[in-house]
Amino acid sequence: MFTALQKEWKHFWKARSLFFIGLPAVLVVFVFYYLPMYGIVIAFKDINYTKGIWGSDWVGLHNFKFFFNSQDALRITRNTLLLNGLFIVVGMSCALVIGLLLAELGRRWVKLFQTILFFPYFLSWVVVGFVSYILLNPSFGVINKTLEQLHFAPIDWYSKPGYWPVILLLTYLWKNVGYTAIIFFTGLLSIDNSYYEAASIDGASRLQQIRKISIPLILPLITMLFMLNVGRIFYSDFGLFYFVPRDAGMLYATTDVVDTYVFRSLRVVGDLGMASAASLYQAIVGLILVVATNLFVRKFNRDNALF
């Protein structure tokens, strides 16, 4: 054991500069992700604020039973999985297409479109929520005013849940697709240009070069992003599902997800135990999904798997 420790110390000291560079990130992960894990115990207790976390009564799986027996569990699970699954599939497809199109543009135009595509990513969901309200306001919204000009009946968007999967998808794409597209574009830039030159000499068209060279060579990047997104499929973007629908009760059938449910449980009901149980359920399902996805990818191509 002493020999092994001595060997590890020599390895550490030899690469100490790299370890010290990564130390701030390690500390952030440890402090904000590992230390708070003791709070998992809240999901198994009937929290009494006067007694504190450790002094509160142990109730075992009561909070989970209460959560799963409610009519909300199935609804928020369905909405979370279906909407986030839709975002992953459509979002990555659109980002890949845009990344390929950017790779076909000249350097001057790429900078312009990069700025246009990347700008919405820096806007907060609060701002996006206000912009969407300006468009969708039932009385004074831009869309309803346009419908009136075209002699169509205005739509009360905030009481019609059937429209909202499409609205949320379009909002998500507008804000996030540029970020992922630039990641794909960066991956395409790393491909050796000699591949395209050889294909061009052999008579391959641009579409054939994309199908046979571009997509296969960035497939590991596509797979990695897909698996990371699947791992977070049960972690919805809280700002999107809360600020854009404006927490309208009429829309819960299609917009209520685990994150908004947990927040509302804490804000309205104040049930810390049940909210923690829902959050732990969210984490467990996310872990299962990322492990299952990794095993699936590993079965077909070990090199593209994360672990």
Side-chain angles (χ1 to χ4, degrees), residues 93-108:
S93 300
C94 292
L96 180 59
V97 171
I98 294 173
L100 291 168
L101 291 174
L102 286 175
E104 299 297 318
L105 295 175
R107 185 179 298 273
R108 177 184 172 185

Side-chain angles (χ1 to χ4, degrees), residues 83 136-138 144 147 153-168 244-256:
L83 288 173
L136 301 174
N137 184 285
N144 275 346
L147 289 176
I155 300 172
D156 187 359
W157 300 100
Y158 292 95
S159 65
K160 305 289 185 180
Y163 293 108
W164 279 87
V166 176
I167 295 173
L168 292 174
V244 176
R246 304 182 68 83
D247 196 31
M250 294 288 290
L251 305 178
Y252 285 166
T254 55
T255 64
D256 198 20

Side-chain angles (χ1 to χ4, degrees), residues 96 100 188 191 196 209-220 222:
L96 180 59
L100 291 168
L188 289 167
I191 299 175
Y196 297 105
Q209 292 176 31
I210 290 172
R211 288 176 47 235
K212 300 297 183 179
I213 299 175
S214 299
I215 294 178
L217 289 179
I218 65 167
L219 187 59
I222 297 172

